[in-house]
Amino acid sequence: MDDSWDRLHAAWADVAQRPIRALCEDPDRFSRFSARFDGLLLDYAKTAMDDGIRQGLLALARAADVAGARAAMFSGAAINTTEGRAALHTALRAGPTAQILVDGRDVMPEVRETRARMAAFATALRGGGFHAAGGRVTDVVNIGIGGSDLGPAMATAALAPYHDRPRCHFVSNVDGAHIHDTLQGLDPKTTVVIVASKTFTTAETMTNAATARDWMAREVSEPGAQFVALSSNGAGAAEWGIAPERVFGFADWVGGRYSVWGPIGLSLMIAIGPDQFDLFLGGAASMDTHFREAEGQDNLPVMLALVGLWHRQVCGYPTRAVLPYEQRLAQLPDYLQQLEMESNGKRVTRDGAPLSRVSGPIVWGAAGTNGQHAFYQLLHQGTDIVPCEFLVAAEGHEPELAHHHALLVANCLAQSEALMKGRSMQEARAIVAARGLAPDAAEREAHHRVFPGNRPSVTLAFDKLTPRRLGQIIALYEHRVFVEGVILGINSFDQWGVELGKELATALEPLLSGSEGAEDKDASTAGLVAFLRR
Ligand code: F6P
């Protein structure tokens, strides 16, 4: 039996108390514990990893046959075994000459045809060639949830400097407040509604879509003409009355949380235009090639995955914080929550056997520097250790505000340095001494100023948040999740854990709106139904 995990646990027992700052005293540490690709730099020097541990982690990847699993994914094999499907989001960004066979049929002609239809539609809509009842389209509302919202919403916000045409809005929550507040102020005669749903059955999306159609019908005689569907369920979209020329389909081998590259990305394509969207796809495709070709420690997705496994499965840290020092990536933590937690938050292996180790981590975070003034207190002095993953660009998009950017970058670097170095009791005493307190009070106060340090972090640095770079960054995380899943033996492409709540919600809804009693429910749920029923 392979003993790679045991060796890593033993290595951790040996080095847990070794200060990371001591490792970083080696001037070669940065060059030896970072990896680059194109304009991206992954620095993992501020972790406890040393050469031996890295070798041990790479051995883990070899033992799990990550290379074989990767080849299977790119080839279109049905690696999503519980749903009997391929996981081929990479096909959506594959280059013009790619050929990918699924069940013996090349899927690329269809992918390219849909992409061309999307581009024609986006161009018409952006240029005024598409006429809404009131003329040129001013606003686009994407209605979708989960992967049908988080990807396009995050990417559209991230690429705001490239956004030049209709305003794009995103409605996801079934809370009527979301659609109400979004539609308020929009003109139905110049608004296009995109219903984004792979299944075209998701309750939240279909409820919001019906509300939007009613809203539009009040002022537009043919509201269906201003609706677009993005779905794998063409029949569902047709039944809903959306004409085939405005239905953009995709195959079931595109997972919801991996779908921004195809039709689900239409709102982004409308926002930034087909040419910039192509650059976004090109970035992701270049990361795919890097992932397939780069060896061992030069491979960014592999190394990011190994750092993740090291922190979660070996060191035992339950969460990881994603901290973009880039306001336009403020939605990245939400996006990664779905990508990582829906993919690897699982308690059984591909074969249905109990997972022999802990599942993927809890992912959370917020944009820096805002987080610094909210939860960083715990990161620095709490009793839990949270590995932090910083993202930062060398350059912003506002040259006239370069002084803001310098401050932003300084804060990002200061945080990872502070987490690593900490502040000793001796240093704390020296600071407090200057205040001239009585010895007892000074000693007490010094304890509050101690930072334990030795808290690991990685930094993903890049030149500038362009469409190409964003494509690379998202694809990097997708492949990281894949590698972690393969090593853990998880099927990262299904999501059975979301089903039970959906079923129960369907049964509860009539209890809340009708007079039927909730006697069959447990005491807590019945009590809450009684209180909340109107
Ligand atoms: O509830 C989970 C989920 O199935 C996600 O995986 C998916 O991204 C989301 O719901 C939305 O699904 P759909 O695109 O089919 O509306």
Side-chain angles (χ1 to χ4, degrees), residues 84-107:
R85 295 171 184 166
L88 256 188
H89 42 287
T90 50
L92 297 179
R93 59 222 190 193
T97 56
Q99 263 197 334
I100 302 171
L101 303 182
V102 175
D103 298 330
R105 193 176 63 86
D106 182 9
V107 297

Side-chain angles (χ1 to χ4, degrees), residues 145-148 197-199 202 256-257 338 342 495 498 502:
I145 197 164
S148 299
S197 176
K198 178 175 170 180
T199 55
T202 302
R257 52 195 175 275
Q338 187 198 18
E342 199 166 76
Q495 56 283 317
V498 302
K502 284 188 196 173

Side-chain angles (χ1 to χ4, degrees), residues 183-404:
L183 297 183
Q184 206 172 35
L186 300 191
D187 179 354
K189 295 193 286 311
T190 58
T191 297
V192 159
V193 175
I194 298 177
V195 185
S197 176
K198 178 175 170 180
T199 55
F200 229 71
T201 57
T202 302
E204 291 93 329
T205 299
M206 301 326 293
T207 305
N208 277 323
T211 299
R213 189 169 53 184
D214 291 348
W215 166 80
M216 199 172 275
R218 278 182 232 131
E219 296 201 32
V220 172
S221 56
E222 251 192 280
Q226 285 171 223
F227 270 69
V228 175
L230 316 175
S231 186
S232 300
N233 177 2
E239 210 173 294
W240 218 78
I242 302 182
E245 67 268 21
R246 287 189 310 286
V247 177
F248 298 92
F250 53 100
D252 66 1
W253 41 253
V254 181
R257 52 195 175 275
Y258 298 88
S259 61
V260 67
W261 317 104
I264 294 294
L266 182 65
S267 47
L268 172 66
M269 188 195 262
I270 291 170
I272 63 174
D275 292 346
Q276 297 291 343
F277 191 82
D278 274 353
L279 295 174
F280 171 68
L281 296 187
S286 72
M287 182 55 74
D288 293 341
T289 306
H290 168 80
F291 177 47
R292 295 172 88 167
E293 293 177 356
E295 292 292 337
Q297 66 194 53
D298 295 332
N299 192 308
L300 264 69
V302 169
M303 281 319 300
L304 192 56
L306 296 181
V307 172
L309 291 166
W310 167 250
H311 286 149
R312 172 66 177 131
Q313 273 71 26
V314 184
C315 306
Y317 306 138
T319 84
R320 66 171 160 244
V322 180
L323 306 167
Y325 277 68
E326 174 87 42
Q327 179 58 28
R328 294 189 179 111
L329 283 179
Q331 295 178 46
L332 184 69
D334 292 8
Y335 173 80
L336 290 181
Q337 277 184 336
Q338 187 198 18
L339 182 65
E340 305 202 8
M341 294 163 78
E342 199 166 76
S343 297
N344 288 344
K346 293 170 187 165
R347 50 179 280 288
V348 297
T349 65
R350 275 189 289 269
D351 305 329
L355 206 63
S356 57
R357 40 199 83 255
V358 291
S359 68
I362 296 161
V363 177
W364 62 286
T369 59
N370 297 23
Q372 290 174 206
H373 299 272
F375 53 80
Y376 277 42
Q377 164 64 42
L378 182 147
L379 299 183
H380 288 288
Q381 290 187 317
T383 52
D384 284 301
I385 294 185
V386 180
C388 293
E389 303 197 350
F390 295 97
L391 290 103
V392 65
E395 204 186 319
H397 282 84
E398 292 73 30
E400 72 286 8
L401 299 176
H403 60 296
H404 282 250

Side-chain angles (χ1 to χ4, degrees), residues 111-170:
V111 167
R112 283 192 276 270
E113 191 209 308
T114 305
R115 203 187 294 162
R117 284 182 55 228
M118 286 167 63
F121 180 75
T123 302
L125 201 140
R126 285 162 52 81
F130 177 91
H131 291 277
R136 199 177 176 125
V137 175
T138 55
D139 296 88
V140 171
V141 179
N142 185 86
I143 295 179
I145 197 164
S148 299
D149 164 71
L150 291 163
M154 179 273 288
T156 302
L159 298 178
Y162 302 85
H163 184 172
D164 52 359
R165 291 294 153 79
R167 291 179 289 262
C168 286
H169 314 265
F170 294 86

